[in-house]
Amino acid sequence: MADSRNFIDNPADIVVIAGYFFLVIGVGLWSMCRTNRGTIGGYFLAGRSMIWWPVGASLFASNIGSGHFVGLAGTGAASGLAVAGFEWNALFVVLLLGWLFAPVYLTAGVITMPQYLRKRFGGHRIRLYLTVLSLFLYIFTKISVDMFSGAVFIQQALGWNIYASVIALLGITMIYTVTGGLAALMYTDTVQTFVILGGAFILMGYAFNEVGGYTGLFNKYLEAKTTQTFSEDPMVGNISPSCYEPRADSYHLLRDPVSGDLPWPALLVGLTIVSGWYWCSDQVIVQRCLAGKNLTHIKAGCILCGYLKLLPMFLMVMPGMISRILYPDKVACVAPEVCKQICGTEVGCSNIAYPLLVVKLMPNGLRGLMLAVMLAALMSSLASIFNSSSTLFTMDIYTRLRPRAGDRELLLVGRLWVLFIVAVSIAWLPVVQAAQGGQLFDYIQAISSYLAPPVSAVFVLALFVPRVNEPGAFWGLIGGLLMGLARLIPEFYFGTGSCVRPSSCPSLFCGVHYLYFAIILFICSCIIILTISFCTTPIPSKHLHRLVFSLRHSKEEREDLDVDERQTGPPEFPVQNGQLEHAVEIEEPSRAAPSLLRQCLLWFCGMTGSGPSSSTPPSEEATRAQELADITEDPHWARIVNFNALLMMTVAVFLWGFFA
Amino acid sequence: MTPELQCSRSGVTRRESPEMMTSLCCLGKLEPWMQGLIAVAVFLALVAIAFAVNRFWCQEEPEPVTTVMSIGGKSDGNLAGVDGRYSSMALSFRSNEHKNAYENENVMEDIPRVRSTPM
């Protein structure tokens, strides 16, 4: 790595990066000025005024993190095309979100997913459990993986100090996350999407040019193997060819159901379950959808995101494979001590496939652009996670701790929580660095496939089976969690191992492919949920109007199950605070208003906007909420959107068939 | 269970549908774009079937839908009746599409020796 130090030291690269930062901060500030950040709906849901293209671009940018660049390219280099199935599966699931899930969330009038479950089932324990589980998953899968892959890239391409660069990055991300709220986030996400796509396209062009075009890739990949196949470690010795030769089924998406590394039933069914959690019931993605202006815009945004999701195969997986062809000794290293020398890990260096291409192929100026691309991917997904976790914490945990907290207090807490989670992420970085695995993408997917299926089971059944009730959902979640942990803990205890040094985990626990395990877990959770629900009393349908799919168009009055905490949900009632300490807290800012500096600071943080629902009387708020919960569509546009969805699916099916 | 075996047997004894054969054995021999087109054809066929089933399924619905509508119409009529502007007779012409729209039904049809023309 000594030769890769200080790659970005020429004026062209620095100008590009500086320009990129100005662009992002400029757009962030511009959208901050445009939007109302002083209310819960304005800060957390962008005032529900986003049109389709920011929605779609934001869905894409929040999903594509630096983990995708490193992980997809790395797994592509290691085992061929099949990993693109992850992306091409998701584009069907994102349509499910727009057509089945989003309408119900809209009519339910919720901000967070745990809040939806609370309305649907009543009771606090499900809501609390889901909130804690989501926050846990954010920190342990999304944030750490994105930061780790960002760190891999920065180390490879720049040789910068990793802590300094990560802290600087998080600082910039924080500026517009904390101050701007979701609207600023979504507009900057749109810019980031352009940067990501533009840069990735340029790199793809260079890579294909270098390898001799599309046919060159498919002619040479199967010969791409390292020459150093002998390990000096006596325990390893001569390495069997199956460990360093590219897989024979590298060019196939659908692989053997028993012996394949990504068996096709797992890829089609198991992955849909995990994606169902990620895309349809996870706060990060759903929040972006809820910010849409109306259902047609949301659907159109989902379609745009689906089209964009077609690209990672060509922008990431194939360049990863090319990287293996061009630098087989580095990317496809197999002897543990050689790998350790090249990239610092023993299990394999496929993670450096993409950074290596950037460093070796790109000329001055474009290298800076590629760094901007990685930063864009990193920042957009981190910012989304920060914003969503702050929404979760504020709406689901803090309102429980202090049920009578006003809007202003909630907004302040939301912003402070972002600071806190940034600090946790930085503290977590050394752990991530120490535990870096060989194939990053599999690691994220493995954790999510052990913990997510019960959650998707609960959401699917909550939406489509009105009979499911609170005990069923709760014990389904707990049972699923225990099963998932029974697999997760042994696997982490024994380690995942590598081809050269297989893991000693007994096959009773670790023998089943993780996506098959997701299917089993999903089915078991469903069985538990349904059994317990049918054995206990059902929820009367007066509580379920517009909360389940079959009743989404219902016009009946709904008796909310969370009626005891209505005042903390949508900001319909002004805060009536009898206690002295609260009153002081609320009075304080207005008393200090004359100070110019303080005023600037408050404006910057978006706290000057209308106080707790002071600008609009409660009745007006209520009618507005009624309008937003409306899911009727203009039939003309609905038909256009449906047709586009069909078209997108047709294109996707063709590509699946083409690479099957 | 070996695909090759099944393929040769079915090729000799009886003709399977093309999709069956490709999915069973001959996937490797086809051109990629052909695979893609077959997949698209199968997908579109499935969509068409789903669409047809949906249509068929929805055609059984109108009974409940109209009863619901007439209930809505009655309550509307009662409300309107307070205003004194709508007679209850208008209810039978009321369109399903809008509360202030009416069907242009031919009431003269029943009366003999009256010729009804479109104009």
Side-chain angles (χ1 to χ4, degrees):
Chain A
M1 273 200 314
D3 60 330
S4 62
R5 298 250 163 232
N6 296 330
F7 255 100
I8 301 204
D9 54 358
N10 58 80
D13 283 341
I14 292 170
V15 165
V16 169
I17 294 176
Y20 162 73
F21 277 124
F22 278 116
L23 184 68
V24 168
I25 293 175
V27 170
L29 288 175
W30 170 78
S31 47
M32 268 164 63
C33 298
R34 278 196 65 201
T35 50
N36 169 22
R37 300 166 283 144
T39 61
I40 297 275
Y43 185 74
F44 290 128
L45 288 182
R48 289 208 165 143
S49 59
M50 307 304 278
I51 56 173
W52 61 276
W53 52 268
V55 172
S58 180
L59 284 175
F60 180 73
S62 329
N63 170 239
I64 296 290
S66 42
H68 282 70
F69 278 95
V70 171
L72 278 179
T75 315
S79 63
L81 291 176
V83 71
F86 283 82
E87 302 300 305
W88 286 359
N89 184 288
L91 58 86
F92 291 98
V93 182
V94 78
L95 293 183
L96 289 185
L97 168 67
W99 266 257
L100 301 183
F101 287 81
V104 181
Y105 296 147
L106 279 180
T107 53
V110 292
I111 295 181
T112 69
M113 292 298 97
Q115 205 182 352
Y116 168 74
L117 288 188
R118 167 99 173 90
K119 275 196 188 222
R120 170 69 176 78
F121 294 120
H124 284 291
R125 50 187 188 176
I126 295 182
R127 183 180 189 179
L128 195 68
Y129 168 77
L130 186 67
T131 313
V132 172
L133 183 76
S134 305
L135 291 176
F136 174 85
L137 282 173
Y138 292 160
I139 293 177
F140 287 91
T141 63
K142 297 184 178 180
I143 294 182
S144 41
V145 163
D146 273 337
M147 300 239 303
F148 164 70
S149 44
V152 166
F153 189 88
I154 291 171
Q155 259 181 342
Q156 288 292 319
L158 301 172
W160 287 357
N161 181 317
I162 213 158
Y163 287 94
S165 34
V166 166
I167 290 171
L169 268 184
L170 290 180
I172 294 169
T173 315
M174 233 163 58
I175 292 176
Y176 63 86
T177 318
V178 171
T179 58
L182 189 63
L185 214 61
M186 290 178 76
Y187 282 119
T188 44
D189 272 357
T190 313
V191 175
Q192 313 270 39
T193 303
F194 279 110
V195 174
I196 292 172
L197 291 180
F201 262 113
I202 292 173
L203 183 98
M204 182 185 75
Y206 272 91
F208 273 111
N209 184 35
E210 190 73 19
V211 83
Y214 185 79
T215 48
L217 165 65
F218 282 88
N219 289 337
K220 294 178 196 161
Y221 179 77
L222 286 181
E223 276 86 60
K225 53 194 173 201
T226 179
T227 49
Q228 295 157 308
T229 57
F230 182 76
S231 172
E232 280 153 27
D233 186 347
M235 292 286 288
V236 179
N238 254 330
I239 296 161
S240 76
S242 64
C243 285
Y244 59 82
E245 281 179 350
R247 299 178 59 89
D249 53 5
S250 290
Y251 301 152
H252 297 285
L253 275 176
L254 304 177
R255 296 180 178 181
D256 189 87
V258 181
S259 63
D261 59 339
L262 275 175
W264 66 263
L267 195 64
L268 295 183
V269 180
L271 194 57
T272 309
I273 292 168
V274 181
S275 304
W277 164 74
Y278 185 94
W279 288 95
C280 301
S281 61
D282 189 51
Q283 183 67 22
V284 176
I285 298 295
V286 173
Q287 197 174 352
R288 263 138 203 80
C289 267
L290 293 185
K293 210 175 194 172
N294 57 40
L295 193 58
T296 312
H297 278 285
I298 293 173
K299 286 179 174 177
C302 289
I303 294 173
L304 176 65
C305 178
Y307 274 119
L308 293 177
K309 291 288 278 181
L310 288 173
L311 297 174
M313 166 71 118
F314 310 102
L315 297 181
M316 297 165 199
V317 179
M318 286 186 180
M321 292 166 72
I322 293 173
S323 179
R324 176 170 181 150
I325 298 173
L326 297 178
Y327 319 107
D329 285 339
K330 286 188 174 175
V331 175
C333 74
V334 66
E337 66 277 355
V338 178
C339 290
K340 181 93 180 163
Q341 195 198 340
I342 291 170
C343 63
T345 40
E346 293 194 344
V347 287
C349 288
S350 57
N351 279 343
I352 67 167
Y354 203 85
L356 207 59
L357 278 184
V358 173
V359 170
K360 300 273 186 185
L361 289 185
M362 300 298 260
N364 289 350
L366 288 182
R367 224 178 284 134
L369 178 70
M370 287 315 294
L371 181 70
V373 168
M374 293 299 286
L375 297 184
L378 181 63
M379 281 163 60
S380 58
S381 4
L382 281 185
S384 315
I385 296 164
F386 290 156
N387 182 282
S388 299
S389 67
S390 116
T391 313
L392 277 181
F393 177 79
T394 314
M395 302 310 296
D396 292 317
I397 293 185
Y398 194 77
T399 50
R400 181 108 173 84
L401 295 176
R402 280 174 61 104
R404 304 196 66 84
D407 264 18
R408 205 186 186 86
E409 192 181 333
L410 291 182
L411 290 173
L412 192 67
V413 168
R415 287 163 165 105
L416 288 178
W417 176 259
V418 176
L419 292 182
F420 172 75
I421 207 141
V422 168
V424 170
S425 319
I426 293 173
W428 183 242
L429 190 62
V431 184
V432 174
Q433 241 190 320
Q436 48 186 261
Q439 287 168 27
L440 195 59
F441 210 72
D442 280 350
Y443 160 82
I444 327 172
Q445 290 298 334
I447 292 197
S448 12
S449 3
Y450 303 148
L451 297 181
V455 180
S456 35
V458 164
F459 270 93
V460 167
L461 292 178
L463 249 79
F464 299 108
V465 186
R467 181 65 180 77
V468 170
N469 61 10
E470 201 268 347
F474 180 73
W475 292 112
L477 280 173
I478 296 294
L481 175 73
L482 293 180
M483 277 183 69
L485 288 180
R487 169 77 190 255
L488 190 66
I489 292 172
E491 194 160 309
F492 272 76
Y493 179 74
F494 291 108
T496 43
S498 64
C499 182
V500 178
R501 291 185 184 134
S503 164
S504 54
C505 182
S507 61
L508 172 67
F509 291 113
C510 307
V512 184
H513 191 273
Y514 60 79
L515 288 175
Y516 281 139
F517 187 78
I519 302 178
I520 298 170
L521 193 53
F522 183 82
I523 292 173
C524 290
S525 304
C526 284
I527 291 172
I528 298 176
I529 294 169
L530 290 175
T531 313
I532 297 185
S533 294
F534 278 106
C535 294
T536 45
T537 49
I539 300 175
S541 68
K542 66 181 178 185
H543 298 305
L544 296 182
H545 292 295
R546 299 187 302 286
L547 286 181
V548 290
F549 189 72
S550 53
L551 296 175
R552 68 194 185 283
H553 290 303
S554 159
K555 296 274 185 289
E556 309 273 316
E557 188 72 25
R558 176 175 70 220
E559 290 178 31
D560 274 322
L561 285 165
D562 61 346
V563 72
D564 56 315
E565 53 167 343
R566 286 289 290 176
Q567 66 268 46
T568 62
E572 285 174 13
F573 305 103
V575 184
Q576 309 245 315
N577 229 317
Q579 292 170 40
L580 189 65
E581 44 172 2
H582 299 185
V584 168
E585 222 169 72
I586 288 164
E587 285 303 310
E588 202 177 16
S590 57
R591 221 182 276 158
S595 155
L596 195 65
L597 184 71
R598 176 128 194 192
Q599 229 169 356
C600 284
L601 197 70
L602 278 175
W603 172 81
F604 191 65
C605 294
M607 303 292 279
T608 50
S610 54
S613 48
S614 60
S615 59
T616 44
S619 59
E620 223 169 280
E621 286 276 342
T623 48
R624 199 169 142 61
Q626 201 78 46
E627 267 169 38
L628 289 170
D630 184 25
I631 53 161
T632 50
E633 294 176 273
D634 180 1
H636 173 64
W637 284 107
R639 214 169 298 135
I640 290 180
V641 166
N642 285 342
F643 177 73
N644 266 305
L646 193 65
L647 193 67
M648 192 202 88
M649 284 196 281
T650 312
V651 173
V653 166
F654 176 78
L655 287 172
W656 267 99
F658 190 87
F659 289 107
Chain B
M1 278 306 284
T2 50
E4 290 84 345
L5 194 72
Q6 282 197 1
C7 179
S8 59
R9 195 194 298 152
S10 67
V12 172
T13 53
R14 60 199 156 96
R15 303 291 299 176
E16 297 280 344
S17 65
E19 289 87 358
M20 276 297 278
M21 280 179 60
T22 53
S23 68
L24 280 177
C25 70
C26 309
L27 206 64
K29 292 169 203 158
L30 278 173
E31 291 286 313
W33 58 267
M34 197 61 201
Q35 281 179 40
L37 286 184
I38 290 171
V40 167
V42 172
F43 169 72
L44 288 179
L46 285 177
V47 168
I49 291 169
F51 191 72
V53 167
N54 194 29
R55 263 287 168 80
F56 183 68
W57 189 55
C58 280
Q59 272 180 351
E60 289 175 29
E61 288 284 296
E63 302 256 359
V65 164
T66 43
T67 52
V68 167
M69 286 308 291
S70 72
I71 288 166
K74 259 175 208 161
S75 70
D76 272 7
N78 287 344
L79 278 178
V82 178
D83 265 2
R85 288 170 63 188
Y86 297 103
S87 69
S88 64
M89 207 179 133
L91 261 181
S92 46
F93 307 124
R94 182 157 285 158
S95 166
N96 292 345
E97 285 167 20
H98 193 270
K99 62 175 179 175
N100 289 336
Y102 297 90
E103 300 287 10
N104 202 2
E105 277 176 25
N106 191 354
V107 281
M108 298 306 211
E109 216 166 44
D110 303 338
I111 304 167
R113 274 184 295 162
V114 173
R115 231 178 101 197
S116 71
T117 60
M119 296 305 284

